[in-house]
Amino acid sequence: MTLKRYGPDVLTVADELTAAYAEVFTAPPWEPRDAEETRVEFRERLEADVRRPGFRAMLALSEDGGVDGFAIGWTTQAPFRTDRAYGKVIRRLGAERVNELLVGCFEIDELGVRSRARGTGLGWRLLSALSSGAPGGRAWLMTWNGAPDALAFYRRAGWREPEPLPGEETDMVVFLAPGRADEGVSRLGTQASAH
């Protein structure tokens, strides 16, 4: 298995990537989804997302050319989006903190590993490879709080959760890359104390 970096040319392997995405995100714990609808929705998003500033993807390719894992992201732009689950991020952190912590940073939008490649460290390799180019280590991602394995994975990898606004927790959890110098964020999401 080899890791390969892509830009917009990821569309040359879009069929293989879409098949991997549909397998990962129609299996538990993700909400029950129709596999064909998931494929179509992801493919349409991918074709638009490759035009985002800073877009890049890291794919783990098997010897037969299949995609065993993927990580996709881009630079978060202002104004911050409100489609998909982004509105929940604004509610959770507040617009000011979203602008401070997320806008201008590299966003990991998708990360997935097919069942046949799990337990090999591939998720960590993909996440590290894609986020390593983020200026100043400033990368972020969000995931669903109904995916305990994903939450545990990001915490083990050293990603930190900014404290939600009081009473504004949502079903989306935000993580910041390890090594960021952002104030007020600790590894487990509690406010850091000043020393």
Side-chain angles (χ1 to χ4, degrees), residues 131-161:
S131 63
S132 67
R138 291 178 48 89
W140 74 282
L141 60 86
M142 67 174 136
T143 193
W144 178 49
N145 71 0
D149 291 345
L151 296 172
F153 167 76
Y154 294 123
R155 289 172 181 143
R156 278 192 315 273
W159 287 61
R160 305 170 335 273
E161 301 160 58

Side-chain angles (χ1 to χ4, degrees), residues 63-151:
E63 291 186 22
D64 67 1
V67 174
D68 284 339
F70 52 88
I72 300 168
W74 51 76
T75 304
T76 302
Q77 302 293 300
F80 194 75
R81 297 167 60 178
T82 57
D83 63 327
R84 294 175 61 203
Y86 292 97
K88 292 179 180 182
V89 171
I90 295 169
R91 191 173 120 215
R92 183 179 184 92
L93 299 179
E96 183 177 315
R97 288 177 64 220
V98 162
N99 286 329
E100 175 189 330
L101 296 173
L102 310 181
V103 172
C105 300
F106 190 77
E107 174 183 348
I108 308 293
D109 181 61
E110 300 290 358
L111 175 66
V113 175
R114 285 184 132 155
S115 58
R116 66 184 182 220
R118 290 199 182 128
T120 63
L122 180 57
W124 184 86
R125 288 175 49 216
L126 287 164
L127 180 62
S128 296
L130 192 63
S131 63
S132 67
R138 291 178 48 89
W140 74 282
L141 60 86
M142 67 174 136
T143 193
W144 178 49
N145 71 0
D149 291 345
L151 296 172

